[in-house]
Amino acid sequence: MQYFITGASGFIGRRLVKKLLAREDSTIYFLVRAAEKESLANLYDFWECDAKRAIPVVGDLTEPLLGVAAVDRKKLGKKTTHFFHLAAIYDLSADADIQLKVNVEGTRNTVNFAEEIGAKHFHLFSSIASAGMFEGLFREDMFEEAEGLDHPYFKTKHDSEGIVRRECSIPWRIYRPAIVVGDSRTGEIDKIDGPYYFFKLIQKMRKMLPAWMPTVGIEGGRINVVPVDFLVNAVDHIAHAKGEDGKCFHLVDPMPMRVGDLLNTFARAAHAPEMTMRINAAVFSFIPRHMRKALLALTPVRRIRHAVMKDLGLPEDMFRFVNYPTRFDCRETSRVLKGTGIVVPPLENYAWRLWDYWERNLDPDLFIDRSLRGQVEGRVVLITGASSGIGKATAWKLAEAGAHVVTIARDKEQLDDVVAEFAAAGLKLHAYVGDLADMASAEAVTQQVLAEHGVVDVLINNAGRSIRRAIENSFERFHDFERTMQLNFFGSLKVTMGVLPRMIAQKRGHIINISSIGVLTNAPRFSAYVASKSALDAWTRCAASEFADRGINFTTINMPLVKTPMIAPTKIYDQVPTLTPEEAAALICDAVIHKQVRVATRLGITGQVLHALVPRVAQIIMNTTFRMFPDSSAAKEKKAGMLPEMPSADQVAFQQFMRGIYF
């Protein structure tokens, strides 16, 4: 048999050609643009054939008779048994004029060409979109009944069908596929479309929340998806079946899922939390259409909507189709395919393959230089308190990645030792002595850094002090609160306010504030420390909102307990699960790369959720831990030389339990 195919290089077209080539004595002619002819090697590799069986024909869909030269038309010799027209723009966001030119006029040009070369059968790949926003059950023999065709894509797919039905003199068959996803056996796909738009959102939820955490989602109409291998197998069989000309076939799932169920299926595949509570999008239909349009036309609303959709990676029109009202009858398709074994596989059986292929090959983050070197090489990074602990470990990683690392700390001797240690390893650390708890010193040293380095590209506010003491033991120690606030909040703020003007001028910058898990969990005995970090968190949220459109990013890291000299005096921490400084530095470097708004452990987020949803329960839990672990000897101001208290059996058991859920 001799076939002619438009759109042979597309996702569906490539697989259909390969399927047809499996037929004995088949020869494929396929349309290519002149610019594509020199890049056909990949196609032939995929098809596992050469130009003897798959023959390119140079032309253009938008030209009369597809722009195919007369000599090439003559070579076809009126021997084409089946003509498949797949080429079209499958993009909801594409320009309306382009869609009209390609989808409608291109179909008319294709029909005329097929008639010119004497094709015996004409096969049009349409779409369920040709039904528009029809409310109810749309049968395979329905066409004129389509409604709600105001979207350009829906309109052009409907009109292209009309051309075939009214103008094509060749026996024709029309195929209306549902949303086509990847291969059910391999997961392979080559574009982001349909449910794939929600994959980035699901991925973000997985990173933020444990899989068991219930979340609120959206519910809507039934979304019909089919894997590409089912589509190709079905078309191959139907196209060669006798007596089916002049019919339309719905290549759909006879049991489509609702939006919420479909998204939860992919959430399970991604090991992300499921949407246990769902808000039906239909509730918004109670708002009169003219009011909705007027509201969405407001500049603040449009700006917020655009920013949110961009951050989630969703197209602007996506939520227009969430409450999709159309269901599709497929009895004719089922009749022709009966007994062939060609059926739509349950999405639950292959969703994991789709997710895995997307995350390994199509995740947009894969195409961004996410290496630490790619983000900081040649950039000035200021880290406060890098003479030890977390700051030192972070400075080391950044210096190894090619950053110009600058630090501010109080202890000159310790700084000199660290600089020498870096130098011995072939690394450069620019060290400045300054007391950030002293506002005059903080301002002076910040200006010195700017004068000598010009600008700070990344600021990491790491220097801080912590005090573990119950409020009951702090009545006579108000200075603890003053000192903690002075360094943790005012000192960090002073440095930040110093570097911000330069960041604003260059329209680029990143400020990372090292906060604490205690801010999320409201940890008892850390009232001074948590209060100071909470103040910094609140200021950061305000600043992030003000500078969201200025190219300046803010990140808050709610750091869990880290094994540093700062916690060494509290011996009870010897048995508590902690991060190493290197692990903490890895969290900071990840924030430098990805510029998240917040970095927190799952334990911290769980604590925050508990305090938000069931505050009384959260208080009881925290009070239990408060009573279980007393103040240290130092906090109680016991005399030197007293033996430390041994942990009780309950304390040891609780500490071991926490090791398993710490993250």
Side-chain angles (χ1 to χ4, degrees):
M1 289 188 182
Q2 181 172 295
Y3 302 90
F4 194 101
I5 299 180
T6 69
S9 62
F11 175 63
I12 300 172
R14 290 199 309 273
R15 286 153 179 80
L16 180 61
V17 170
K18 190 168 185 176
K19 186 72 177 180
L20 295 175
L21 285 169
R23 290 180 172 269
E24 191 174 353
D25 298 327
S26 60
T27 303
I28 310 289
Y29 289 85
F30 61 100
L31 189 72
V32 296
R33 291 191 293 268
E36 298 174 330
K37 193 174 180 182
E38 302 302 322
S39 58
L40 297 177
N42 290 336
L43 281 178
Y44 288 122
D45 288 342
F46 183 83
W47 293 333
E48 298 177 338
C49 75
D50 55 26
K52 293 180 180 179
R53 292 193 65 198
I55 304 158
V57 178
V58 176
D60 190 321
L61 199 68
T62 62
E63 299 292 331
L65 295 178
L66 303 184
V68 176
V71 63
D72 290 330
R73 297 199 302 269
K74 187 175 180 180
K75 287 180 181 177
L76 294 170
K78 300 191 183 293
K79 297 178 181 178
T80 300
T81 313
H82 295 276
F83 194 113
F84 290 91
H85 179 42
L86 284 80
I89 293 179
Y90 300 94
D91 189 348
L92 293 175
S93 60
D95 180 79
D97 292 337
I98 296 176
Q99 291 193 60
L100 177 64
K101 189 175 183 180
V102 174
N103 293 355
V104 180
E105 295 303 321
T107 298
R108 179 173 281 113
N109 294 335
T110 302
V111 168
N112 293 337
F113 177 79
E115 293 173 335
E116 173 74 11
I117 65 173
K120 304 299 188 296
H121 297 275
F122 187 88
H123 304 271
L124 173 68
F125 270 68
S126 182
S127 167
I128 58 173
S130 62
M133 298 293 283
F134 181 87
E135 293 192 18
L137 186 69
F138 203 81
R139 301 189 310 273
E140 289 161 298
D141 62 350
M142 295 171 67
F143 174 70
E144 299 293 349
E145 295 85 349
E147 57 189 27
L149 295 167
D150 53 327
H151 193 280
Y153 180 70
F154 286 22
K155 176 67 173 171
T156 58
K157 297 308 289 185
H158 181 83
D159 290 349
S160 64
E161 270 198 39
I163 290 172
V164 174
R165 292 171 179 273
R166 291 188 292 266
E167 302 178 21
C168 186
S169 61
I170 303 169
W172 53 263
R173 302 178 190 187
I174 294 173
Y175 310 98
R176 293 177 183 157
I179 298 172
V180 182
V181 296
D183 194 299
S184 66
R185 301 159 300 179
T186 65
E188 185 180 0
I189 196 169
D190 62 0
K191 66 174 293 188
I192 304 297
D193 196 10
Y196 289 91
Y197 286 127
F198 291 93
F199 279 21
K200 182 55 74 176
L201 175 61
I202 293 172
Q203 188 187 62
K204 289 182 177 181
M205 291 176 64
R206 184 186 66 189
K207 290 180 178 179
M208 292 190 298
L209 302 170
W212 50 263
M213 180 72 70
T215 64
V216 179
I218 194 167
E219 186 61 279
R222 297 187 182 274
I223 300 298
N224 210 302
V225 299
V226 294
V228 67
D229 50 309
F230 160 78
L231 174 63
V232 169
N233 291 336
V235 169
D236 174 63
H237 179 80
I238 297 172
H240 296 91
K242 295 181 179 180
E244 304 297 338
D245 292 331
K247 296 179 181 178
C248 179
F249 300 91
H250 284 164
L251 302 172
V252 299
D253 186 345
M255 300 294 291
M257 292 182 174
R258 290 193 175 275
V259 169
D261 293 328
L262 181 136
L263 294 179
N264 276 345
T265 299
F266 285 113
R268 287 192 294 273
H271 302 288
E274 296 183 39
M275 298 178 296
T276 52
M277 297 177 60
R278 293 176 242 172
I279 301 172
N280 199 315
V283 301
F284 298 106
S285 62
F286 291 106
I287 305 173
R289 187 174 180 182
H290 68 278
M291 291 183 62
R292 292 201 306 270
K293 291 183 68 175
L295 182 64
L296 293 174
L298 295 173
T299 299
V301 176
R302 284 193 292 107
R303 184 175 181 183
I304 293 171
R305 183 172 181 268
H306 176 74
V308 171
M309 298 296 279
K310 182 179 179 181
D311 184 64
L312 297 177
L314 299 174
E316 291 286 331
D317 285 338
M318 173 56 66
F319 288 109
R320 180 180 180 182
F321 307 109
V322 166
N323 204 37
Y324 192 61
T326 315
R327 295 191 66 180
F328 296 91
D329 178 71
C330 59
R331 276 175 282 188
E332 283 296 300
T333 303
S334 299
R335 176 185 60 80
V336 180
L337 295 179
K338 186 177 181 180
T340 64
I342 302 172
V343 295
V344 181
L347 181 61
E348 295 90 342
N349 293 354
Y350 66 93
W352 68 270
R353 292 191 178 96
L354 303 183
W355 176 269
D356 185 70
Y357 188 89
W358 172 84
E359 196 161 42
R360 292 176 183 272
N361 300 276
L362 295 177
D363 182 358
D365 287 349
L366 296 174
F367 306 99
I368 302 173
D369 187 350
R370 296 298 188 184
S371 68
L372 186 59
R373 180 171 291 278
Q375 294 294 315
V376 302
E377 188 173 23
R379 301 283 177 89
V380 178
V381 181
L382 172 58
I383 309 173
T384 63
S387 58
S388 65
I390 299 171
K392 179 182 175 182
T394 304
W396 194 281
K397 289 180 179 292
L398 292 170
E400 286 183 324
H404 295 295
V405 183
V406 182
T407 188
I408 302 171
R410 291 182 302 169
D411 193 322
K412 185 178 184 306
E413 291 185 5
Q414 192 173 13
L415 270 178
D416 290 341
D417 291 341
V418 174
V419 169
E421 186 180 347
F422 272 58
L427 302 175
K428 180 71 172 178
L429 178 65
H430 305 273
Y432 295 83
V433 179
D435 184 1
L436 299 183
D438 182 290
M439 296 299 99
S441 174
E443 182 172 1
V445 72
T446 302
Q447 294 304 315
Q448 184 182 358
V449 170
L450 292 172
E452 297 182 14
H453 297 276
V455 71
V456 172
D457 297 292
V458 181
L459 168 63
I460 303 173
N461 282 311
N462 168 71
R465 71 166 74 233
S466 176
I467 296 176
R468 181 181 183 273
R469 180 177 282 111
I471 296 174
E472 196 173 0
N473 294 324
S474 303
F475 293 150
E476 305 300 324
R477 298 185 59 89
F478 191 77
H479 59 275
D480 286 345
F481 297 87
E482 293 177 314
R483 291 172 180 175
T484 307
M485 185 66 74
Q486 193 73 9
L487 177 59
N488 294 357
F489 180 57
F490 291 117
S492 297
L493 201 58
K494 194 68 174 177
V495 178
T496 303
M497 299 282 275
V499 304
L500 262 176
R502 299 282 182 94
M503 289 183 175
I504 294 170
Q506 69 175 6
K507 300 179 180 179
R508 186 186 73 245
H510 189 192
I511 295 169
I512 300 173
N513 291 321
I514 309 303
S515 183
S516 169
I517 189 175
V519 174
L520 305 179
T521 61
N522 303 308
R525 287 197 169 82
F526 288 93
S527 57
Y529 181 68
V530 168
S532 66
K533 290 297 186 181
S534 295
L536 185 61
D537 282 17
W539 184 91
T540 302
R541 291 193 297 272
C542 295
S545 299
E546 292 187 21
F547 293 100
D549 60 345
R550 304 287 290 275
I552 301 172
N553 296 287
F554 289 82
T555 299
T556 296
I557 301 179
N558 294 110
M559 191 71 71
L561 198 62
V562 182
K563 194 75 170 179
T564 65
M566 187 170 69
I567 70 168
T570 306
K571 299 303 179 184
I572 197 171
Y573 287 154
D574 292 344
Q575 305 298 321
V576 174
T578 59
L579 296 185
T580 65
E582 288 71 27
E583 290 172 326
L587 286 180
I588 297 173
C589 289
D590 186 74
V592 171
I593 295 171
H594 296 97
K595 301 176 177 59
Q596 306 99 313
V597 174
R598 181 178 297 277
V599 176
T601 63
R602 291 172 178 173
L603 180 61
I605 294 173
T606 301
Q608 186 179 38
V609 171
L610 285 175
H611 278 286
L613 299 181
V614 283
R616 178 63 66 182
V617 173
Q619 285 180 358
I620 293 170
I621 294 172
M622 299 310 293
N623 181 260
T624 300
T625 63
F626 173 71
R627 296 303 178 191
M628 187 178 294
F629 298 97
D631 276 358
S632 65
S633 298
K636 294 178 180 178
E637 298 184 345
K638 291 189 176 181
K639 296 179 180 180
M642 291 187 66
L643 294 175
E645 296 179 8
M646 297 298 294
S648 67
D650 288 343
Q651 293 172 344
V652 173
F654 185 81
Q655 291 163 357
Q656 294 303 315
F657 171 73
M658 289 294 292
R659 292 181 185 273
I661 64 170
Y662 195 70
F663 295 102

